Amino acid sequence: MDVFTGRWVRGAGWSAALPGWDSARTLVLVFGPSALVDEPDHAGLADLRRTYPVASLAGCSTAGEVLGAELSDDTLAVAVVRFATTRVVVETTPVEGRGSDDVGRLLGKRLAESGADLALALVLSDGLAVNGSALGRGVSETVPAGALVAGGLAGDGPRFARTWVLVDGVPRAGAVAAVGLFGADLEVGHASRGGWSPLGPERLVTRSAGTVLHELDGRPVLDLYREYLGDLADGLPATGLLFPLGVRLLDGSGREVVRTILGVDHDTRSITYAGEIPQGATAQLMRSTTDRLVDGAEDAGQQVRRDADAGDSLALLVSCVGRRQYLGQRTEEELEVVVEALGPRTPAVGFYSYGELTTLPSGACHLENQTMTVTVFGERPRSAA
């Protein structure tokens, strides 16, 4: 397996020459700014389409592009992977007219039809037009047993206005892509960590619908945020990223997930989150410190390295826009500790997202928010294992 990572910067071009690795077993991952949806002939994307006409291209918009331990905006962060034996299949579909769970099931079914030896499904989704919880659930219901599902929801910085996913090499709004990597030689490692703690009492979700939360303890949720945020409430939804919502699941596991704000409706005093907020669940505001967030990211990197030793491999880092808002100028510290934990044989590429898709120990795909999620994959021929 051959791996190249590089960055395209407007006015400067590529940080290094693109390798001539075009083949049916080549995957090109691309992460860039939301404005590219208005620029289908973008010079960097045109270079990739011209250099890799046979390879599979996949990618999405970001709240910051990641290349190694460096974070940038308005660039392209790119990884080119040429596999020796692993097969690559990319499936895409528009969201419009379908429920998010149906979109997930459709993509998972298509990948399953391409082979029972699916090892990893990387899902990249429009960040505003889907219920990420339902999308992940639908994919995991239909992919072959044992396949790991990971990825994330596309970002638009702190603006929450528009996102895109690559479809046939062109940025498209309202789409979801699933990259399937097939074969027995692919070794995968995966971990997701947060670093948040409760702020204030647990409250009952008394009225919600999918990803829209109306009331906690019978009070409009927007009123609660205004009470805690004070003057910062004028900056919602962006300032709400500093105080996400912890929700205790109703599946009997007692597990708690963190939910990121995507939008605010001042007329109904409701808030839309990146994942589901089940009615009858308990929830409470969350807070953290920069040190705890960095420690959580480091733990994710170390866990992946303990679980998988694929030799030369690629790491996909998907962190949350809320973590970037909170960490500010220290954001690159969480990238640095992950890259150091993974080691020099594992270059990293990725993006800051509106939600992170992770696979639980049960095998189910789940949407996380406010986490650093690390997925590492590399080939290790079984005859050499």
Side-chain angles (χ1 to χ4, degrees):
M1 174 174 143
D2 300 307
V3 181
F4 164 89
T5 59
R7 192 185 302 277
W8 184 94
V9 179
R10 194 177 297 275
W14 292 100
S15 58
L18 295 172
W21 294 345
D22 190 37
S23 75
R25 295 191 185 276
T26 299
L27 171 64
V28 182
L29 293 174
V30 188
F31 304 105
S34 60
L36 261 65
V37 76
D38 298 325
E39 200 177 352
D41 295 326
H42 181 278
L45 286 179
D47 282 348
L48 293 173
R49 290 192 294 263
R50 181 170 54 252
T51 306
Y52 305 106
V54 176
S56 297
L57 272 65
C60 65
S61 61
T62 82
E65 298 92 52
V66 172
L67 187 70
E70 296 181 359
L71 173 65
S72 62
D73 295 296
D74 300 321
T75 67
L76 296 183
V78 173
V80 181
V81 183
R82 181 171 62 177
F83 295 102
T85 61
T86 300
R87 293 184 298 115
V88 184
V89 174
V90 177
E91 298 287 353
T92 62
T93 186
V95 176
E96 186 177 5
R98 297 188 182 94
S100 297
D101 50 353
D102 289 335
V103 170
R105 281 191 287 267
L106 173 64
L107 291 172
K109 181 180 179 182
R110 287 180 181 175
L111 291 182
E113 290 171 347
S114 293
D117 58 343
L118 178 67
L120 174 63
L122 294 175
V123 179
L124 302 173
S125 171
D126 185 287
L128 300 170
V130 302
N131 175 334
S133 301
L135 175 68
R137 186 167 56 244
V139 173
S140 63
E141 286 176 358
T142 48
V143 294
L148 188 140
V149 181
L153 308 186
D156 179 30
R159 295 172 292 273
F160 300 94
R162 57 184 184 169
T163 65
W164 56 261
V165 169
L166 282 185
V167 178
D168 296 327
V170 178
R172 302 289 188 196
V176 182
V179 180
L181 301 181
F182 296 79
D185 290 344
L186 194 73
E187 184 165 308
V188 181
H190 180 74
S192 182
R193 298 290 187 271
W196 298 86
S197 59
L199 171 65
E202 280 196 333
R203 302 173 188 272
L204 182 67
V205 178
T206 47
R207 188 157 71 95
S208 66
T211 62
V212 180
L213 176 58
H214 292 275
E215 295 179 357
L216 290 173
D217 286 344
R219 293 183 57 195
V221 64
L222 186 54
D223 292 357
L224 180 65
Y225 268 85
R226 285 172 174 158
E227 179 182 308
Y228 275 86
L229 269 62
D231 292 341
L232 289 174
D234 294 336
L236 287 169
T239 53
L241 297 172
L242 305 177
F243 298 93
L245 194 70
V247 181
R248 196 166 302 282
L249 300 178
L250 292 173
D251 59 4
S253 66
R255 188 169 179 271
E256 187 173 70
V257 296
V258 179
R259 291 289 177 245
T260 293
I261 292 177
L262 290 184
V264 173
D265 188 325
H266 292 280
D267 293 332
T268 64
R269 293 187 287 176
S270 65
I271 295 177
T272 299
Y273 292 83
E276 293 174 343
I277 312 290
Q279 191 162 302
T282 56
Q284 58 192 140
L285 293 177
M286 307 292 282
R287 63 181 172 184
S288 190
T289 66
T290 53
D291 287 341
R292 289 193 63 198
L293 294 183
V294 171
D295 288 346
E298 183 176 26
D299 188 36
Q302 291 175 343
Q303 184 64 54
V304 168
R305 181 47 62 206
R306 286 193 296 268
D307 290 348
D309 183 11
D312 294 327
S313 54
L314 176 70
L316 175 64
L317 310 186
V318 184
S319 189
C320 184
V321 61
R323 295 174 71 89
R324 182 177 183 184
Q325 291 290 102
Y326 201 106
L327 289 166
Q329 293 184 345
R330 294 187 63 186
T331 300
E332 287 187 337
E333 287 187 34
E334 76 164 355
L335 303 177
E336 290 168 0
V337 295
V338 173
V339 168
E340 183 177 352
L342 294 176
R345 296 178 65 188
T346 306
V349 69
F351 64 105
Y352 278 76
S353 73
Y354 284 175
E356 306 84 60
L357 292 170
T358 183
T359 295
L360 303 177
S362 65
C365 177
H366 189 76
L367 180 77
E368 297 278 5
N369 295 135
Q370 300 281 9
T371 66
M372 166 61 80
T373 298
V374 182
T375 305
V376 171
F377 56 91
E379 285 181 315
R380 187 174 72 169
R382 297 307 167 187
S383 59

